[in-house]
Amino acid sequence: MKALITGASSGIGRDMARILSRRGYDLILVARRRDRLEELQHHLPSNVKIICCDLRDEKACFALYEQAKGENIDILINNAGFGLFGSFLETDLHRELELLDVNVRAVHILTKLFLRDFVKRDSGYILNVSSSAAFLPGPLLSSYYASKAYVLRLTQAVGEELRRKGSHVYIGALCPGPVKTEFDQVADVHFSVKSMSSQRVAMIAIQQMFSRQPVIIPGSTMKLSKFFMRAIPDSLLVRISYHMQKRKQGPERDQ
């Protein structure tokens, strides 16, 4: 049994690697920072291969698949991503395009390539890390929120296609609320809602992935929030979202 995890050098990705390793899965861990990957590799009990890869580069995404396609991957976790804080008029366009490359294009490419292999053998799990941001418009974090909405809706649509085919392949979206990770520190962002630990989110994610939950929302607070959002008009929801984001500070954040 083998899992490939992108964005595995810290946060949720690192903690999911630890959980799957304890469950006996061999791992392929992907991130840009080799030193972090090597440190994690040293502390995991299972067989671990590391691949340094910058998913902002489309060619790197295809190269990653070519490296891994012969490894008989059972689980793909698309966790890599980052956000960019600030007014849409003022944020750097180059960084926004990099955000879309990592958060959207890389997820799309890897999902499609590995899914084709999974469907052929009629087994496998794909977990795409979205966010509770996918349920909201996100003034001051507009590109990030929009990218996570793409991940959620793509995952749901593909899941329905698989269901109608009678496929045994699982695809699901993880939609956590605020999580205590370097994501916050890099951005210098402070959340008004209490954050969950990345370890807790990772544990729930793995449990519910194996339970084949199509959309995974860790924590009762975020589940209740999503429920009440349905009763709020979009015009009011976007204003509430703006005031929530206004309390935050900082340029960008890694997931």
Side-chain angles (χ1 to χ4, degrees):
M1 299 181 294
K2 188 172 292 186
L4 186 153
I5 306 173
T6 69
S9 61
S10 64
I12 298 171
R14 178 186 59 198
D15 290 321
M16 288 194 285
R18 289 169 173 164
I19 293 168
L20 288 171
S21 182
R22 290 196 297 267
R23 288 184 174 222
Y25 279 81
D26 292 334
L27 301 174
I28 298 177
L29 304 182
V30 180
R32 290 180 298 161
R33 295 173 288 190
R34 178 174 292 276
D35 57 337
R36 294 286 190 90
L37 290 176
E38 289 177 345
E39 180 183 0
L40 180 58
Q41 181 185 37
H42 180 71
H43 290 95
L44 295 178
S46 61
N47 181 41
V48 178
K49 177 179 180 179
I50 62 175
I51 298 177
C52 289
C53 181
D54 188 345
L55 297 178
R56 292 175 297 182
D57 183 352
E58 177 183 312
K59 293 180 180 178
C61 297
F62 283 96
L64 172 60
Y65 169 73
E66 291 298 323
Q67 284 183 267
K69 69 178 183 179
E71 297 276 357
N72 294 317
I73 302 297
D74 299 287
I75 300 171
L76 168 66
I77 299 177
N78 283 308
N79 172 69
F82 71 91
L84 191 65
F85 182 88
S87 165
F88 184 75
L89 287 174
E90 297 172 357
T91 46
D92 182 77
L93 178 57
H94 178 68
R95 284 297 285 164
E96 285 177 319
L97 295 176
E98 290 183 334
L99 180 153
L100 295 176
D101 285 337
V102 176
N103 293 15
V104 174
R105 288 170 64 87
V107 173
H108 190 112
I109 291 167
L110 295 175
T111 296
K112 194 177 194 75
L113 294 177
F114 281 99
L115 182 64
R116 286 171 171 169
D117 294 339
F118 288 4
V119 168
K120 284 179 183 177
R121 70 172 192 245
D122 200 27
S123 68
Y125 294 81
I126 296 177
L127 181 63
N128 290 330
V129 179
S130 179
S131 168
S132 60
F135 305 128
L136 286 164
L140 304 181
L141 274 166
S142 54
S143 299
Y144 175 75
Y145 273 55
S147 71
K148 291 305 182 180
Y150 182 95
V151 172
L152 172 61
R153 295 310 186 190
L154 175 73
T155 302
Q156 290 177 308
V158 174
E160 175 62 12
E161 292 176 7
L162 293 173
R163 187 190 70 81
R164 289 179 176 273
K165 286 173 62 73
S167 174
H168 292 97
V169 176
Y170 163 87
I171 187 168
L174 172 63
C175 298
V179 181
K180 296 175 185 175
T181 68
E182 290 180 8
F183 201 96
D184 312 2
Q185 299 168 16
V186 172
D188 189 25
V189 170
H190 304 283
F191 294 106
S192 55
V193 179
K194 185 177 180 181
S195 300
M196 292 182 68
S197 71
S198 61
Q199 296 91 337
R200 177 67 177 162
V201 171
M203 183 180 68
I204 293 170
I206 297 301
Q207 287 176 343
Q208 295 197 18
M209 177 185 73
F210 286 129
S211 297
R212 308 182 78 85
Q213 182 71 25
V215 178
I216 302 168
I217 307 174
S220 56
T221 300
M222 292 315 304
K223 287 187 176 73
L224 284 171
S225 297
K226 183 176 182 293
F227 176 79
F228 286 116
M229 283 178 206
R230 297 174 182 174
I232 301 174
D234 285 350
S235 59
L236 178 57
L237 201 59
V238 72
R239 294 182 182 185
I240 293 171
S241 181
Y242 176 84
H243 287 293
M244 290 172 61
Q245 306 305 340
K246 186 70 173 175
R247 300 176 189 178
K248 304 173 184 179
Q249 297 178 355
E252 59 188 76
R253 43 200 277 219
D254 283 324
Q255 185 163 290

